[in-house]
C-alpha cells in the first residue's frame, strides 16, 4: 500500500538516563526515524511505519492497537503512548490509563494519504478469531 | 536526640538508566547510605536521617512530610515514596497518588528508639504558622 504519514515521536530523557539508550528505544520501534536531541527530550520523525506494523502483527496485538489508534483520534491525527522500557527491548507496549506519566514515548501520526481508516487498516488490520482479516501478502 | 532507626531504600534501575546515577539520587537524600546493586534495583541501607531532615526543613515541607510518614504507618514502620529525578537534583519530592509507579524511590524506616511519634517529631517537627514549633538548635 502507498501511504503518506508524518510520524513525530517524543520521549523524555530524565537525569538518570542515557540519551543514546532512549534513542535506541525509539529506533527499536521506528528504525528509520531521524532523532534530534533537545534538552530533556528527544524528538524523532519518520514516514515509515512498516516495522512498527510488523511488531503489532508478531505480538498479536492488532485489536489493542486499533483501539489505541482510534481512542484519541483527532481528524487525520492519531496519537498514543508507548512504554519506554518495553520499547528498549523492542516490544510495543501501549501506555494506557495514565497518559501524563513521565517516561512514556509519545507518538503522533498525521495521515495525508489515503485516509486514517485505510492507514490504520494497513498498520493494524481488523482481525477475525484473532487473525488479520486480510493477509499481509495479499495486499 | 538519640534515635535508632533502620532505613531501607529501594530504587528501580530501568534499562535506559545508569546505575551510578540512580545511586547518586539515593545518596543525595541519604549521604551515608550503603548501596548494593541487584538486577534492576538498588538496595540502600542507613541509620542516618539527619540530611534528609535538613532537606525537609530547608524545603519547608515539614507538614507534608509528617502527613506522608503517618499515611502508611504500620506499627513502628514508616513507608513513603520519593521521586527519583527530584532526588537526583537533591530535592525531596514525595510521590503521591500513584504508589505503584515505576521509577520512584521507596523508603522504609523501622524505628526502634524512642518511638515513631518522637522520631517523626525529630525528623519533621510539627509547625505553627509554617515554622517548626521546636527550633532545631534547642534540641
Amino acid at each position: 500500500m502507498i501511504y503518506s504519514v508524518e510520524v513525530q515521536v517524543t520521549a523524555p530523557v530524565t537525569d538518570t538516563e542515557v540519551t543514546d539508550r532512549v534513542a535506541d528505544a525509539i529506533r527499536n520501534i521506528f528504525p528509520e526515524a531521524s532523532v534530534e536531541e533537545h534538552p530533556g527530550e528527544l524528538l524523532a520523525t519518520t514516514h515509515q511505519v512498516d516495522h512498527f506494523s510488523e511488531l503489532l502483527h508478531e505480538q498479536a496485538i492488532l485489536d489493542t492497537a486499533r483501539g489505541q489508534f482510534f481512542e484519541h483520534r483527532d481528524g487525520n491525527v492519531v496519537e498514543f503512548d508507548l512504554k519506554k522500557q518495553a520499547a528498549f527491548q523492542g516490544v510495543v507496549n501501549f501506555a494506557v490509563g495514565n497518559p501524563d506519566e513521565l517516561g512514556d514515548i509519545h507518538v503522533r501520526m498525521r495521515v495525508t494519504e489515503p485516509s486514517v481508516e485505510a492507514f490504520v487498516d494497513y498498520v493494524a488490520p481488523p482481525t477475525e478469531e484473532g487473525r488479520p482479516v486480510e493477509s499481509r501478502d495479499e495486499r
Side-chain angles (χ1 to χ4, degrees), chain A:
Chain A
M1 180 174 126
I2 295 164
Y3 60 85
S4 171
V5 64
E6 203 178 292
V7 180
Q8 201 177 72
V9 182
T10 50
V13 180
T14 63
D15 286 333
T16 54
E17 288 185 313
V18 181
T19 304
D20 284 352
R21 291 190 198 161
V22 178
D24 285 346
I26 295 174
R27 289 202 193 93
N28 284 345
I29 310 298
F30 299 101
E32 301 87 355
S34 144
V35 182
E36 269 177 40
E37 204 173 316
H38 294 278
E41 185 178 83
L42 292 181
L43 168 63
T45 50
T46 183
H47 298 280
Q48 295 295 323
V49 297
D50 288 348
H51 184 67
F52 175 59
S53 174
E54 274 164 30
L55 291 172
L56 299 178
H57 282 77
E58 284 167 16
Q59 292 179 225
I61 52 170
L62 296 172
D63 291 337
T64 303
R66 292 175 65 84
Q68 287 297 307
F69 297 157
F70 288 125
E71 190 171 355
H72 301 291
R73 177 191 172 178
D74 184 7
N76 62 342
V77 172
V78 164
E79 289 185 275
F80 53 91
D81 291 314
L82 301 178
K83 292 281 184 196
K84 192 197 282 172
Q85 304 305 322
F88 186 77
Q89 305 285 353
V91 172
V92 174
N93 194 340
F94 289 96
V96 293
N98 197 356
D100 291 325
E101 190 179 345
L102 288 172
D104 289 339
I105 294 176
H106 185 72
V107 183
R108 188 173 192 276
M109 298 181 166
R110 177 183 291 277
V111 182
T112 316
E113 297 275 345
S115 68
V116 169
E117 288 80 2
F119 175 74
V120 169
D121 282 355
Y122 173 70
V123 174
T127 65
E128 238 168 54
E129 295 177 8
R131 301 186 64 80
V133 166
E134 184 190 15
S135 151
R136 298 210 87 201
D137 299 336
E138 288 165 16
R139 281 181 288 180

